[in-house]
Amino acid sequence: MNNAFPSGPFGGANPASALFDAMEQLRKSFDPRPSGGSRMARGDVRTAVLSLLAEKPMHGYQIINEIAERSGGSWKPSAGSVYPTLQLLADEGLITAEEQNGRKTYSLTDAGAAVAEEAAEAPAPWEASGTRDHTRFAALPKAGVDLAAAAAQVGRTGSPEQVQQAIDVLDEARRRLYSILAQD
């Protein structure tokens, strides 16, 4: 069966089911990326590592988890960004690595402590990511899902004329949202 609408739980074409599918797709579009969060600049990883090691020695996995925790889950750097950063910092003489229980634990050198102290004057990278992305990861998705819920309600209970009015409103909203991005 090839309908314009997917089959609902009771069989047959179900426009409300199509609206709920669209709503779920909208909600998922705001989900964090599989890497666990937003991509940060290489300098942010470096600053974060230095900031954390200024507090205490850690191994790479601890650093990754600590950044994720402090950013409220909005930023979880990958091992592919943290471990090369650790190697670079070691090459620069800013950190040292010591083998403990089969893991390398990293500590700041005196030079690393001086760099970390300078970096401490600015907000930590995980703090900057949390405030910068608050609207994107909280209020905007909620507004979108609320709008989709209202559209689903019109689709379930509205007359054909009301459904067409809702389509017109949604088309206008979409155009206006894109115009926001087009502004200087």
Side-chain angles (χ1 to χ4, degrees):
M1 170 163 77
N2 188 9
N3 291 327
F5 300 109
S7 294
F10 305 108
N14 185 346
S17 176
L19 287 169
F20 281 117
D21 290 345
M23 221 166 80
E24 181 64 11
Q25 185 178 359
L26 172 67
R27 186 196 61 74
K28 286 182 178 179
S29 71
F30 286 100
D31 283 348
R33 295 193 334 237
S35 67
S38 59
R39 181 175 296 272
M40 299 297 283
R42 187 177 308 273
D44 291 330
V45 175
R46 175 187 171 93
T47 303
V49 169
L50 289 169
S51 296
L52 292 173
L53 293 179
E55 296 175 12
K56 67 178 183 181
M58 295 183 183
H59 56 76
Y61 184 72
Q62 286 174 302
I63 292 168
I64 292 168
N65 286 332
E66 192 65 29
I67 292 170
E69 185 176 313
R70 292 186 188 200
S71 71
S74 68
W75 177 34
K76 184 175 183 182
S78 68
S81 64
V82 170
Y83 285 102
T85 300
L86 289 167
Q87 183 60 53
L88 181 64
L89 292 170
D91 292 346
E92 293 174 3
L94 301 178
I95 65 172
T96 59
E98 182 181 311
E99 188 83 23
Q100 289 182 339
N101 300 327
R103 291 185 167 203
K104 285 185 179 179
T105 299
Y106 300 90
S107 303
L108 292 178
T109 62
D110 289 341
V115 171
E117 190 175 318
E118 287 176 25
E121 295 172 11
W126 50 81
E127 292 169 357
S129 80
T131 57
R132 181 177 63 219
D133 292 333
H134 172 73
T135 300
R136 175 177 289 163
F137 294 113
L140 184 58
K142 181 186 180 322
V145 170
D146 290 348
L147 178 64
Q153 181 68 28
V154 172
R156 281 191 308 273
T157 62
S159 69
E161 294 80 19
Q162 290 170 324
V163 169
Q164 186 56 54
Q165 286 178 331
I167 291 169
D168 294 343
V169 166
L170 292 173
D171 284 345
E172 176 62 20
R174 178 184 42 80
R175 283 190 292 275
R176 290 184 63 191
L177 288 171
Y178 280 125
S179 75
I180 291 169
L181 292 175
Q183 295 172 5
D184 291 336

